[in-house]
Amino acid sequence: MFVATSIRRELLCAIVVVSVGTLAPPAVHAQGFISPSIGYNFGGNAGCRTATDCRDKNWNWGGSIGALGSVVGFEAELTYEGDFTGDRPDQRTTVTTGMANFLVAPKITIVQPYGLLGIGLIRTDVENMVVNVSEAKNQIGWTIGGGLIIYLQKHVGVKGDIRYYHAFDTLDLLGFDLARGNHLDFGRAGLGMVFKF
């Protein structure tokens, strides 16, 4: 009696395990990553007119952390530009962006091209060097872009991308019309590393 009950219990457990394994959706194999980068801003309201025509590249730094699968991914990205409008004697402008981005990134052997779309915060700080006053403004903005990752080994790669940032609101700080009567916008060309874990 005890043996029969024990066999039925084990059989029932085996049926449940097989059923759950069969009916459960396949696991998504996404890997976490961290990606430091350097770059420079261009176009729009940045000090550089275009990505290729820029005498004084004011390098910025940034990084992202997220998860990346074989087709899609997500990242939280942060960048900082210390001299956004270039070297000017009357003012210093810094721009910090924090974005949450959705990525479409199909992996093809050691190469992984990607496109991204995101939304987040753009913080602009302006310091008037003549009267020594400063003002800052936070704006909601969006970003779109794309790039390419080339894996040097399974968990380490190099990447290059171009991103475009655009604020929803107009920007006027300390009497400086930073967005020239329009919304703050600019591009960013960046190079970095990708470390998967």
Side-chain angles (χ1 to χ4, degrees):
M1 182 90 159
F2 177 77
V3 174
T5 304
S6 179
I7 291 172
R8 273 187 259 159
R9 206 176 282 151
E10 289 175 6
L11 184 60
L12 182 60
C13 287
I15 291 170
V16 169
V17 169
V18 170
S19 298
V20 169
T22 305
L23 298 175
V28 177
H29 298 289
Q31 285 187 294
F33 72 88
I34 187 166
S35 177
S37 67
I38 60 168
Y40 65 93
N41 295 336
F42 64 89
N45 310 112
C48 291
R49 304 285 298 171
T50 67
T52 55
D53 180 20
C54 184
R55 297 188 195 97
D56 182 22
K57 289 185 176 70
N58 292 305
W59 293 95
N60 58 47
W61 57 268
S64 60
I65 187 168
L68 194 58
S70 57
V71 178
V72 296
F74 171 82
E75 71 171 4
E77 168 216 355
L78 180 70
T79 63
Y80 174 79
E81 167 64 77
D83 288 303
F84 180 73
T85 53
D87 299 324
R88 294 178 54 172
D90 60 339
Q91 78 175 61
R92 181 171 184 260
T93 304
T94 64
V95 174
T96 306
T97 62
M99 297 284 168
N101 302 325
F102 173 74
L103 290 85
V104 175
K107 189 170 182 187
I108 309 160
T109 64
I110 64 166
V111 176
Q112 191 164 21
Y114 61 91
L116 63 91
L117 180 65
I119 191 167
L121 183 73
I122 300 175
R123 178 179 175 84
T124 309
D125 290 272
V126 176
E127 182 181 1
N128 187 321
M129 309 295 279
V130 178
V131 293
N132 199 25
V133 295
S134 61
E135 187 179 353
K137 185 174 181 181
N138 293 326
Q139 298 177 281
I140 302 297
W142 55 268
T143 184
I144 190 170
L148 184 70
I149 302 170
I150 300 173
Y151 290 96
L152 306 176
Q153 52 180 269
K154 188 175 180 181
H155 296 285
V156 180
V158 292
K159 75 169 186 179
D161 63 30
I162 294 180
R163 303 178 186 218
Y164 172 76
Y165 300 84
H166 186 90
F168 287 112
D169 298 326
T170 56
L171 183 64
D172 184 3
L173 292 172
L174 296 180
F176 293 107
D177 187 10
L178 295 177
R180 300 184 189 101
N182 210 328
H183 302 273
L184 182 71
D185 69 338
F186 55 93
R188 181 180 189 260
L191 293 170
M193 299 291 294
V194 176
F195 301 99
K196 283 190 171 184
F197 52 87

